[in-house]
Amino acid sequence: MARTREFDAEKVLDAAMQLFWEKGYEATSLSDLTSRMGIQRPSIYSTFGDKKELFEAALRKYTMSRASEVRNRLQDYPSVKEAFRIFFEEVVDEEYAGSLSRGCFCINTMVELAPHDEKFEILTREHQMYLSVIFQEAIERGIKSGELKADMDAKAVSQSLIVSLIGLTVLLKSRPNRAFIDNAVKMMLASLE
């Protein structure tokens, strides 16, 4: 008779996601994972597969959650310009508020694994494209309401903002002077004028 699982798979996957997010794929050992997740190796293998499959599941959990969070944050304000300003300011504030600079789990994966692993190249690119669509929808809402210029190229501006967001997130890991970052964000948002 098969044993019933004695742990919450979502809860232990979240623990793995947090650990991979903090340390990255290569620096995270199976011992680190069993300790953080509170389960033994056989349970990891039977539930998630090997370390790479567990990492993929954690990344997918993160990207789904992050995309939903970004969409909600951009819809929280009637003003599209205000929504983007607050979104970018919160990205910066979150990074400077903590003592641990984790950045974005997906962007960290893009830097660490995507250059030499096609699966993670595709997964990270899909997330970027999905966020670009979310940005584009918000910009189109601003065009429709008259807040943004009618001739604005929503797709091009959204893609530009995604590139800016990725660069910003990577740069924030080195904790540059705050004024440097604030000026850069101001210029990024100028594309919505």
Side-chain angles (χ1 to χ4, degrees):
M1 192 163 97
R3 289 184 58 191
T4 58
R5 192 180 296 156
E6 297 174 6
F7 58 88
D8 180 335
E10 283 302 308
K11 197 173 191 177
V12 297
L13 179 58
D14 189 61
M17 180 187 76
Q18 296 298 327
L19 182 61
F20 281 130
W21 191 357
E22 290 167 20
K23 297 182 76 169
Y25 177 76
E26 292 296 335
T28 302
S29 70
L30 278 171
S31 295
D32 294 334
L33 288 164
T34 58
S35 176
R36 179 69 68 93
M37 295 168 77
I39 60 175
Q40 298 305 310
R41 289 179 192 211
S43 294
I44 291 175
Y45 293 131
S46 67
T47 307
F48 302 104
D50 63 15
K51 177 182 165 184
K52 189 175 255 187
E53 291 169 312
L54 174 59
F55 185 87
E56 181 182 345
L59 179 63
R60 287 182 186 279
K61 179 180 177 69
Y62 173 86
T63 58
M64 288 178 59
S65 171
R66 181 68 176 149
S68 176
E69 177 189 334
V70 170
R71 174 171 269 123
N72 291 338
R73 285 166 87 173
L74 291 178
Q75 291 177 346
D76 278 348
Y77 302 92
S79 164
V80 171
K81 289 180 184 179
E82 184 77 357
F84 275 105
R85 183 187 64 75
I86 290 169
F87 171 77
F88 275 92
E89 286 177 357
E90 287 176 348
V91 167
V92 173
D93 289 344
E94 287 168 11
E95 199 59 33
Y96 281 103
S99 58
L100 177 66
S101 179
R102 293 191 309 174
C104 167
F105 183 28
C106 186
I107 294 171
N108 295 347
T109 302
M110 182 179 66
V111 172
E112 181 184 14
L113 297 178
H116 54 271
D117 189 311
E118 185 178 11
K119 177 181 274 189
F120 292 106
E121 174 190 337
I122 292 167
L123 287 173
T124 57
R125 185 174 49 240
E126 285 174 351
H127 183 61
Q128 295 159 32
M129 294 303 102
Y130 191 61
L131 289 181
S132 180
V133 168
I134 292 170
F135 278 22
Q136 183 176 340
E137 289 170 354
I139 292 167
E140 287 170 348
R141 193 173 69 247
I143 292 169
K144 187 175 181 180
S145 73
E147 180 183 3
L148 301 176
K149 295 177 191 168
D151 65 347
M152 181 175 284
D153 185 338
K155 184 175 184 178
V157 172
S158 69
Q159 290 171 345
S160 175
L161 288 173
I162 288 297
V163 170
S164 297
L165 176 62
I166 292 168
L168 174 67
T169 305
V170 172
L171 188 62
L172 282 170
K173 290 182 79 62
S174 68
R175 300 270 173 125
N177 179 286
R178 180 68 188 252
F180 178 87
I181 294 297
D182 290 342
N183 287 333
V185 168
K186 202 177 296 180
M187 291 309 296
M188 286 177 212
L189 296 174
S191 64
L192 294 172
E193 295 303 323

